Amino acid sequence: MKNHDNHISSYSLNLTVLLILLVLTTTSVLAIKFHFGAFTVAVALIIASVKAAIVLTYFMHLKFENLLLRLMVSGVFLLFAIVVVITFIDYYFR
Amino acid sequence: MNYNSSPTAPLNFLNHKTGLWSWLSSTDHKRIGLLYLYSITIFFCAAAVLGLLMKIEKFAPGETIMTAQTYNGIFTIHGIIMIFIVVIPGLAAVFGNILLPIMIGAKDVAFPKLNLFSWYVYITGACLGLYSQFAKGHVPDAGWTFYVPYSAEVNSNIVIALTAAFVLGFASILTGLNFIVTIHRMRAPGMTWFRMPLFPWSLYATAWIQILATPIIGITLLMVIAERTLQIGFFDPALGGDPVLYQHLFWIYSHPAVYVMILPAMGVVSEIFPTFSQKPIFGYMPIVFSSLAIALVGYFVWGHHMFTSGMSYQARWFFSLLTFLVAIPSAIKVFNWLSTMYGGSVDLKPPLLYAISFIFLFTIGGFTGLTLGSLATNIQTHNTDFVVAHFHYIVFGGMGFGFFAAIHYWYPKIYGRMYNIRWANIAWAILFTGFNVLYFPMFILGLQGMPRRYFDYDPKFQTGQMISSIGAFILIIGLIGMISNLVYHVRRGAIAPANPWHGVTLEWQIPSPPPHENFDEVPVITRDPYVFDNPYTK
Amino acid sequence: MSTTEHSDYIDSDTGKMGMWLFLFTELFLFGGLFIVYAVMRTKYPEDFHQAALELNAFIGATNTVVLLVSSMTVAMSLTAIQKNKPNIAIGLIFITLILAGVFMMNKYFEWGHKFSLHLYPGSDVMKTLPHGEIMFFGLYFMMTGLHALHVIIGGILLTIVMFKLKSGKINQEHYLLQENGALYWHLVDLIWIFLFPLLYLIT
C-alpha cells in the first residue's frame, strides 16, 4: 500500500483548476442565451468535454500518471465515441 | 512456509488446509478456480438435461412431452444458464483463475479478496437465476436475449431473471479487472509481454471485453427493469420508445460476449498444439495480435444480429463488412495451429483430440457465421435452426470443446492424478459423434425453413429432427462418459508426474498439484515461451 | 501453517490501476444511457427542447458548482495527507461530505417539485405528454437517479476514508484508499459535468 514518489499537486493548483472550471461553467450557462441554433448542443458538449479533460488531467492526476494509464483512459473514451458513431450509422440513415 | 517439508506427502493447495470453510473462505486463486469449476459443472449438467428435454419434445411433431409454454420456459432457462452462468465465466474464471498467475510466474492474482468476492457475486447471480424458475408466478419465457417489447410486457418472473444476469455481469467484470491488473503488474522478472504464453494473452484480450462491454448490458437490463417496474418506456413504442435501440444496446455487449467465450478457448488450444507436437507454436506474434484484433473489431460488429430488424441499409452494409473482417484473425489462428502440428511429433492424447475437434467444429461454425453475416443469405436463414446450429458449433463446439481440451490438459496438474486415457478417448469419440449428429441436421433444417424456438414443426421436417434428437442422446452419453472418467479419477487415478505431457510453460515446472503459493522462489524467465529443447527456467 | 495467507500488500500503482478499470466500467454504464439520450434526442428534438424548459437551470447550476467545489476539496485532502497533515485532510473530506449532502438536498427538492407537479414516470400527467417529453423525463429520472446513487456510494466511501484517516490507518505512507475514494468522487463529478448541459442547458 506504500505510495512512493507521487507527485503532490499544491493547494493553489487545485484552487486555480476550480476557478477555471467555474469560469467554464458560467460560460456554458451564458452561452445558451445566445442562440447558436443547431450548434447549441455542440457548444455545450465541447465546453463539457474541456471541463471533463481538466478534471481528468488535474483532479484525477492523470498528468502525473504513467503513459500506460493515460493511453488506457484515452482509449476508453475513443472506444465509446466509436460506438456512438456506429450506432448513428443506423439512426442517421434510417 | 513448510508445505514441502515432508517428502512423502507434500502439502499442496488442495490439502494444505481442509474443511469446507477453508474452501469457501480461501483467497487462493487455484481454489477459487476450482470453486468456479464445480459450480459451472453442476449448472452445465442441469442445462444439458434441459437441452435433452427439448430434443425429446422435438422427436416427433406435435406435443410430445411438454406444452408450448413449458418449452418456451425451458429454452429460456437453458439459454440463461448456458450463456450467463456457464459459458461466459467458463474458461476465464476456471482455468484463467487456476493457471494465469502460474503461467506468468506470480503467486496470486492482483486482488485475491476481490477474486473470492467475485465468486460469491457469481453464486448470488446463479441462485437468482434459479429463483426466477421457482418463484411464484410464471417462469421467464422471453429467451435469453430478453427482447423488448415482449420482455417488458409479459407476465412472468422476468425482473428476477434480469437481475440475475445483471449480478452475473458484475462478477464477470471483477474477474476481468483482476486479470488485467495481474497481467500488467504481476509478471515474473524477465516475463516480458512477448515471452508470455498465449493463454494469458487470450485472457488479456478477453478481460478488456469483459470490462468494456459488460456495463452496457448492465444498464440495458436496468432500463428494462425500470420499464417493467417504474413504467419508464425507453423501449416501449406506445410511449415513444424504440425497441430496436434495445437490440443495439443488447448486442453491443452480447456480441463481444461471444469473444469472451471463444478467445480463451483459442488460448487453450494455442497451449495444447505446441505441447503435443513438441514444437514451438507457429507464428506466435500473429496469434497474439489476432487475439487483440478479434477483441477490438469484435466490439464493432454487433449489428449483424439485427439485419432484419429494420436497421438502415448503410448500417447493415457496414456491419456485414466488419463481420467479414473479423473472420480474418480467426482464420490466421487456424492456419497457425495447423502449421504448428506440421512436421511435429504429434502425440494424439485426449487434450489434442479435443483441440483438433475444436478446429473442426469452430471452422464449420465460423464459415456458417459468414453465411449469416452476408446480408442476402441472412434474410433466408434468420431465426431458423440454421442460426441455432451455427452458434452451437461456435459456443459448444468452440468454447465447450476448448473447455474439455483444457480440463484434459491441465487435469494432472490440478489434481496430481491422471484420468484413464483409453476411457477419455472413447468418451471423446462418442461426444464428437453425438455433437455432429445433433447439430449438423439443424443446418439443413434451418435452410429448409425450420424456425428456431418452436416446440412443434411441420411433419416434413421429421427425419432431420429425429436424427438430431438421436444425436442428443449420443452426446449426453459421451458427456456422462467424459465427466465420470474425470470425477472418478480425482481420488483414484494413477499419480501423475509434474510434467506428464512434456510441456514447457511455467505451470509444468512446478509440482502437481501446485503448492499453495505456486513457486518456492520467484522464477526468472530468460527465454521465449515455447522452446522445447531444454527446461524453461534457469 | 502460514499466518499470512496471501499478503494483503497492494502497492499503489496496482491498486490505482484496478480503480481506473472499475471507473471505465462506470463510464460505460452511464455511456449506455448517453446513447439512449442521443438517439431519443435526434428522434424528438422539439419535445426535448420543451421538456428541458421544465427543469430548473438554477438548481442544476448550483449543484454543478457544489460538485466542482467538492471535487477540489477532495483533491486538496490528498495534498494534505501527502504533506502529512491528517487533520486538514479530515477537515477537507468532511467539507466534501457536507457538499455531497447539499447536493442531495437540492436533488430532493428538485425531484419533490417534479412529483408535486405529477411529472413522474407512469403518472396521469405524464401520459398526456408528447412522446419525446415522456422520453426526456424518463431519461432525466434514470440518469439523475443513477447519478444520485453514485453520490451516495461515493459519500459512504469517503466516510470510511475519513474514519481511517482518524485512526491513522491512512497516513502519509499509505493513502491508496483515499486516492481511490477521491478518484471515485471525481468520476461522480465527471458524469455530472455531462449531465448538467444535456439535461438542463440544451433548451
Side-chain angles (χ1 to χ4, degrees):
Chain A
M1 241 210 218
K2 195 162 174 162
N3 297 63
H4 295 289
D5 58 343
N6 259 355
H7 177 91
I8 304 181
S9 37
S10 65
Y11 294 120
S12 57
L13 174 68
N14 284 324
L15 191 63
T16 318
V17 171
L18 175 69
L19 291 177
I20 295 171
L21 287 171
L22 290 178
V23 169
L24 284 171
T25 309
T26 323
T27 318
S28 71
V29 173
L30 292 179
I32 56 158
K33 307 270 185 219
F34 306 94
H35 292 283
F36 293 109
F39 295 105
T40 322
V41 188
V43 170
L45 278 180
I46 288 168
I47 295 180
S49 306
V50 174
K51 282 164 74 180
I54 293 174
V55 169
L56 283 165
T57 316
Y58 291 98
F59 281 167
M60 298 174 95
H61 295 171
L62 268 189
K63 187 177 164 65
F64 318 113
E65 292 292 353
N66 50 36
L67 180 67
L68 174 70
L69 205 54
R70 280 185 276 165
L71 282 178
M72 281 185 184
V73 176
S74 2
V76 163
F77 277 96
L78 182 68
L79 179 69
F80 182 69
I82 297 175
V83 168
V84 173
V85 169
I86 294 180
T87 311
F88 271 83
I89 295 181
D90 176 14
Y91 282 95
Y92 185 76
F93 292 104
R94 193 114 45 96
Chain B
M1 294 299 136
N2 55 353
Y3 47 76
N4 46 10
S5 58
S6 153
T8 48
L11 281 171
N12 55 55
F13 84 102
L14 291 171
N15 62 6
H16 81 107
K17 276 184 186 172
T18 50
L20 186 62
W21 183 243
S22 78
W23 281 83
L24 294 179
S25 65
S26 172
T27 54
D28 183 336
H29 63 99
K30 302 179 285 302
R31 285 191 163 202
I32 296 171
L34 284 182
L35 288 178
Y36 269 113
L37 175 64
Y38 301 144
S39 12
I40 282 174
T41 308
I42 291 168
F43 279 103
F44 171 76
C45 292
V49 170
L50 292 174
L52 181 66
L53 289 177
M54 281 192 274
K55 277 294 155 192
I56 296 175
E57 165 59 36
K58 286 205 169 175
F59 198 83
E63 191 176 310
T64 316
I65 55 164
M66 62 180 90
T67 62
Q69 189 55 29
T70 316
Y71 187 83
N72 292 347
I74 287 188
F75 77 64
T76 300
I77 195 63
H78 171 81
I80 292 176
I81 294 181
M82 282 300 193
I83 297 287
F84 291 112
I85 303 182
V86 175
V87 175
I88 288 181
L91 278 160
V94 177
F95 294 103
N97 259 324
I98 298 177
L99 289 145
L100 168 70
I102 305 180
M103 292 178 92
I104 63 170
K107 281 185 189 260
D108 207 321
V109 292
F111 309 111
K113 284 180 188 162
L114 195 67
N115 202 14
L116 179 64
F117 177 66
S118 85
W119 182 74
Y120 279 97
V121 176
Y122 165 81
I123 285 295
T124 311
C127 290
L128 271 173
L130 282 186
Y131 178 64
S132 74
Q133 292 305 295
F134 300 111
K136 238 178 106 192
H138 301 287
V139 296
D141 56 352
W144 77 275
T145 50
F146 300 113
Y147 267 19
V148 290
Y150 185 70
S151 68
E153 287 162 2
V154 67
N155 174 31
S156 57
N157 299 330
I158 297 278
V159 172
I160 307 173
L162 289 169
T163 315
F166 181 85
V167 173
L168 288 164
F170 194 58
S172 171
I173 286 177
L174 293 181
T175 305
L177 187 156
N178 230 328
F179 285 1
I180 294 182
V181 181
T182 307
I183 290 173
H184 270 284
R185 306 280 312 163
M186 314 274 287
R187 278 171 289 130
M191 175 70 79
T192 58
W193 281 94
F194 295 113
R195 279 187 192 154
M196 204 160 70
L198 289 163
F199 184 52
W201 260 115
S202 70
L203 289 171
Y204 183 71
T206 308
W208 274 110
I209 310 176
Q210 285 176 298
I211 283 201
L212 296 178
T214 318
I216 302 265
I217 197 159
I219 192 68
T220 312
L221 300 179
L222 277 185
M223 280 188 262
V224 179
I225 293 175
E227 190 148 339
R228 289 184 66 95
T229 55
L230 307 171
Q231 294 173 287
I232 301 182
F234 296 126
F235 309 124
D236 181 1
L239 293 174
D242 181 358
V244 177
L245 184 58
Y246 171 86
Q247 297 187 19
H248 271 295
L249 292 168
F250 180 83
W251 290 112
I252 288 177
Y253 164 72
S254 297
H255 192 75
V258 175
Y259 298 105
V260 170
M261 308 166 190
I262 200 72
L263 273 172
M266 293 171 159
V268 168
V269 298
S270 304
E271 296 296 329
I272 290 174
F273 282 114
T275 302
F276 290 90
S277 312
Q278 289 294 300
K279 194 166 156 269
I281 188 89
F282 181 87
Y284 172 88
M285 292 300 251
I287 295 186
V288 167
F289 284 105
S290 60
S291 287
L292 298 176
I294 288 174
L296 182 71
V297 183
Y299 208 97
F300 306 129
V301 300
W302 72 81
H304 65 215
H305 296 265
M306 306 160 55
F307 285 154
T308 60
S309 71
M311 267 199 313
S312 73
Y313 171 71
Q314 283 81 352
R316 279 182 280 160
W317 181 92
F318 174 83
F319 283 124
S320 184
L321 176 71
L322 279 196
T323 304
F324 275 75
L325 289 182
V326 82
I328 296 171
S330 304
I332 291 176
K333 285 179 185 243
V334 169
F335 282 117
N336 282 326
W337 294 323
L338 295 177
S339 310
T340 303
M341 284 198 292
Y342 179 78
S345 47
V346 176
D347 186 11
L348 214 55
K349 289 274 166 38
L352 189 65
L353 283 175
Y354 280 104
I356 293 173
S357 32
F358 165 90
I359 294 188
F360 179 79
L361 303 174
F362 177 73
T363 308
I364 293 180
F367 276 124
T368 52
L370 290 179
T371 314
L372 289 165
S374 322
L375 294 177
T377 44
N378 181 277
I379 307 292
Q380 162 73 16
T381 48
H382 201 91
N383 266 353
T384 64
D385 267 4
F386 190 87
V387 178
V388 181
H390 155 71
F391 71 70
H392 278 89
Y393 265 86
I394 291 283
V395 177
F396 192 179
M399 185 277 173
F401 275 68
F403 193 94
F404 301 152
I407 187 78
H408 283 89
Y409 182 49
W410 283 306
Y411 183 95
K413 175 53 62 187
I414 295 171
Y415 293 107
R417 294 192 181 255
M418 187 57 94
Y419 49 83
N420 183 321
I421 302 254
R422 229 177 108 80
W423 188 344
N425 286 340
I426 295 168
W428 167 82
I430 301 172
L431 192 59
F432 183 73
T433 314
F435 181 94
N436 287 296
V437 176
L438 165 55
Y439 294 113
F440 200 84
M442 293 177 79
F443 282 125
I444 298 158
L445 287 168
L447 285 173
Q448 289 172 338
M450 174 69 209
R452 69 190 283 201
R453 291 183 168 172
Y454 276 39
F455 91 120
D456 191 8
Y457 51 85
D458 191 297
K460 73 174 176 190
F461 296 125
Q462 196 180 358
T463 317
Q465 293 284 10
M466 243 171 64
I467 297 174
S468 176
S469 296
I470 293 168
F473 281 99
I474 304 176
L475 178 80
I476 291 285
I477 293 168
L479 276 178
I480 294 171
M482 183 194 78
I483 295 174
S484 56
N485 180 20
L486 295 176
V487 172
Y488 182 81
H489 291 101
V490 164
R491 284 177 193 281
R492 298 178 193 79
I495 301 287
N499 190 359
W501 316 122
H502 312 293
V504 286
T505 38
L506 270 182
E507 78 270 28
W508 301 112
Q509 318 304 324
I510 57 172
S512 303
H516 174 49
E517 293 208 319
N518 301 348
F519 301 97
D520 288 338
E521 49 188 285
V522 179
V524 178
I525 284 74
T526 53
R527 0 191 10 163
D528 287 344
Y530 304 103
V531 179
F532 275 84
D533 49 1
N534 57 358
Y536 193 65
T537 45
K538 295 214 199 75
Chain C
M1 220 51 265
S2 77
T3 45
T4 54
E5 173 165 42
H6 295 289
S7 131
D8 291 340
Y9 180 92
I10 291 177
D11 79 16
S12 161
D13 282 353
T14 306
K16 255 193 286 183
M17 183 186 275
M19 190 65 195
W20 272 103
L21 292 175
F22 182 69
L23 295 189
F24 295 162
T25 70
E26 295 278 15
L27 284 173
F28 273 80
L29 192 74
F30 280 94
L33 282 172
F34 281 116
I35 293 175
V36 176
Y37 177 94
V39 168
M40 289 303 163
R41 202 193 146 76
T42 12
K43 208 167 167 186
Y44 306 105
E46 284 308 310
D47 290 347
F48 268 55
H49 177 81
Q50 280 303 319
L53 289 174
E54 288 284 334
L55 297 192
N56 188 333
F58 179 73
I59 295 191
T62 315
N63 265 351
T64 308
V65 174
V66 167
L67 271 193
L68 286 176
V69 175
S70 76
S71 224
M72 180 196 68
T73 52
V74 88
M76 278 184 168
S77 82
L78 212 55
T79 313
I81 196 67
Q82 286 170 323
K83 292 185 172 172
N84 201 14
K85 301 266 191 318
N87 285 329
I88 298 181
I90 292 170
L92 284 164
I93 295 223
F94 189 69
I95 297 174
T96 313
L97 289 172
I98 301 271
L99 290 170
V102 172
F103 181 92
M104 290 306 288
M105 283 287 266
N106 277 338
K107 193 98 281 176
Y108 173 77
F109 286 124
E110 201 188 354
W111 275 39
H113 184 62
K114 293 281 165 311
F115 274 78
S116 68
L117 292 176
H118 289 272
L119 277 176
Y120 56 86
S123 75
D124 302 334
V125 179
M126 194 73 118
K127 278 177 187 150
T128 64
L129 293 176
H131 281 165
E133 295 198 28
I134 301 178
M135 284 299 116
F136 180 86
F137 285 111
L139 278 164
Y140 163 77
F141 279 106
M142 190 89 184
M143 286 171 133
T144 57
L146 194 63
H147 179 261
L149 185 70
H150 281 75
V151 172
I152 295 169
I153 296 171
I156 295 171
L157 198 58
L158 288 180
T159 312
I160 296 171
V161 168
M162 195 169 72
F163 280 106
K164 292 216 167 178
L165 274 165
K166 238 171 209 161
S167 69
K169 283 213 177 90
I170 295 177
N171 52 49
Q172 194 184 11
E173 295 287 301
H174 306 281
Y175 52 85
L176 174 64
L177 185 67
Q178 191 183 348
E179 267 188 307
N180 283 347
L183 280 177
Y184 192 86
W185 192 255
H186 294 308
L187 175 91
V188 170
D189 190 20
L190 207 62
I191 305 279
W192 186 258
I193 283 177
F194 285 100
L195 287 186
F196 170 59
L198 288 181
L199 293 176
Y200 294 82
L201 285 188
I202 307 177
T203 50

